[in-house]
Amino acid sequence: MIMRVTIKRDWIHGWLLLAPAMVFLFAFTHIPAITTFINSFYSTPRGQRSAKFIGLANYERLLGDEVFWKVLVNNLWFALGTIPISVGLAIVMALWVNGKLAGRSFVRMAYFTPTVLPLIAVANIWLFFYTPGFGLFDQIVGGLFGWTSTNWLGDPATALNAVIVVTIWKEAGFFMIFYLAALQTIPVTLIEAAQIEGASRWTVFRRITFPLLMPTTLFVSVNAVINSFRLVDHIFILTDGGPDNASSLLLFYVYETAFRYWETGYAATLTVVLLVLLSALAIGQFFFFDRKVHYK
């Protein structure tokens, strides 16, 4: 009897500890997601006219929306451009600052500094770099090679790539911290044993270090995918989605549809598609990394 009372008390105590987090999770994640899904089947309320149930009309509109398909392709290209390079740079930087390096603490701080800067501040800094004529890039390129001024953010061929560069610069240092922490948990004896056997640095990294970093790689890659589909701040400051939606991404299109054009019903539909796409990518990553993740 006493054991049952103790178990019940522990059970109540455990749920009480979980309650605050669950309240916030439901209030700011699950309930808004369910509400958004329901709203995707309704029209946008305007003035005295309330929202009406329209079934799959918003989804039919989405299939014929050329702007949606354009920003979706932009977002996929943006993800392909940012994720592998950011993760690769993070690994290289973590290996670099984890070794014996003069001024190692300063280098770590320098790599991590872009992460702690506000997104709006970062966008304004890079806006100056990209400014035609007197921006940093034009000054360097013009001074060294004599090239003419380039409108990096105003050219449809370069606008999205310019935003990709900013994102890589901002995220690589953040991912580096996780890899640095993971590197410091790898037993030194494993690396020393491999070196005694004559293994090169590349062999040690490929056969020992990188396989043991796979749990961190899974975590980082999932975060990188989510980050690549939630960028709004940089685009808002740098290009505002232009020119001609060349740099617009899916979440920015959701923002425009909901708060500029006040098409909340259609914006809810776009949000549902975004959530489904992110869920599918995250689940796919877990299946892809399943056999490659080695927990120490």
Side-chain angles (χ1 to χ4, degrees):
M1 184 66 181
I2 296 176
M3 185 177 295
R4 288 182 179 179
V5 172
T6 304
I7 293 174
K8 188 175 181 180
R9 186 177 299 168
D10 292 341
W11 181 83
I12 295 174
H13 185 247
W15 279 106
L16 287 175
L17 291 174
L18 288 173
M22 292 181 65
V23 169
F24 280 101
L25 186 64
F26 275 90
F28 296 103
T29 302
H30 297 318
I31 294 176
I34 294 171
T35 304
T36 300
F37 179 72
I38 295 172
N39 289 340
S40 68
F41 298 101
Y42 285 81
S43 63
T44 300
R46 298 185 184 279
Q48 299 296 323
R49 187 179 64 186
S50 59
K52 295 181 179 180
F53 180 78
I54 56 175
L56 298 175
N58 284 327
Y59 291 92
E60 292 175 0
R61 174 184 171 184
L62 182 143
L63 293 176
D65 187 356
E66 295 181 0
V67 177
F68 165 74
W69 293 109
K70 185 172 184 177
V71 299
L72 181 60
V73 171
N74 287 346
N75 219 141
L76 294 176
W77 174 250
F78 181 82
L80 289 174
T82 56
I83 296 171
I85 299 176
S86 296
V87 174
L89 275 177
I91 294 175
V92 172
M93 290 190 298
L95 291 170
W96 177 256
V97 299
N98 190 52
K100 295 179 180 179
L101 178 68
R104 182 172 59 181
S105 299
F106 176 78
V107 176
R108 290 179 179 178
M109 181 188 68
Y111 284 158
F112 189 68
T113 297
T115 301
V116 299
L117 293 177
L119 291 171
I120 301 300
V122 169
N124 279 284
I125 291 170
W126 281 86
L127 185 63
F128 164 72
F129 290 168
Y130 285 132
T131 302
F134 61 88
L136 181 63
F137 289 157
D138 269 4
Q139 300 243 358
I140 293 174
V141 173
L144 294 178
F145 305 104
W147 293 356
T148 57
S149 175
T150 304
N151 190 357
W152 302 97
L153 298 174
D155 188 345
T158 59
L160 185 59
N161 293 329
V163 178
I164 288 175
V165 172
V166 178
T167 305
I168 293 172
W169 181 81
K170 184 80 168 67
E171 290 188 345
F174 176 68
F175 297 148
M176 178 209 69
I177 294 299
F178 296 102
Y179 278 113
L180 181 60
L183 284 172
Q184 293 176 352
T185 64
I186 296 176
V188 181
T189 53
L190 292 176
I191 298 175
E192 290 177 347
Q195 291 173 343
I196 291 173
E197 293 294 329
S200 63
R201 289 186 177 181
W202 170 246
T203 303
V204 171
F205 173 77
R206 186 167 59 93
R207 296 292 186 181
I208 299 175
T209 306
F210 189 67
L212 292 176
L213 290 176
M214 289 307 292
T216 304
T217 301
L218 173 60
F219 172 79
V220 167
S221 63
V222 170
N223 278 272
V225 167
I226 295 173
N227 290 346
S228 68
F229 281 86
R230 68 175 183 86
L231 184 67
V232 171
D233 310 67
H234 291 171
I235 295 175
F236 187 84
I237 298 297
L238 293 172
T239 65
D240 202 29
D244 192 24
N245 293 308
S247 62
S248 181
L249 302 182
L250 191 51
L251 188 58
F252 185 79
Y253 185 46
V254 173
Y255 157 76
E256 279 191 317
T257 304
F259 299 106
R260 285 187 179 176
Y261 311 134
W262 201 249
E263 292 283 349
T264 55
Y266 186 54
T269 305
L270 293 170
T271 305
V272 170
V273 172
L274 176 60
L275 292 175
V276 171
L277 181 61
L278 285 176
S279 300
L281 290 173
I283 293 171
Q285 285 178 291
F286 277 100
F287 279 108
F288 177 77
F289 285 107
D290 184 43
R291 296 183 179 180
K292 299 182 180 182
V293 174
H294 304 278
Y295 293 96
K296 299 183 286 294

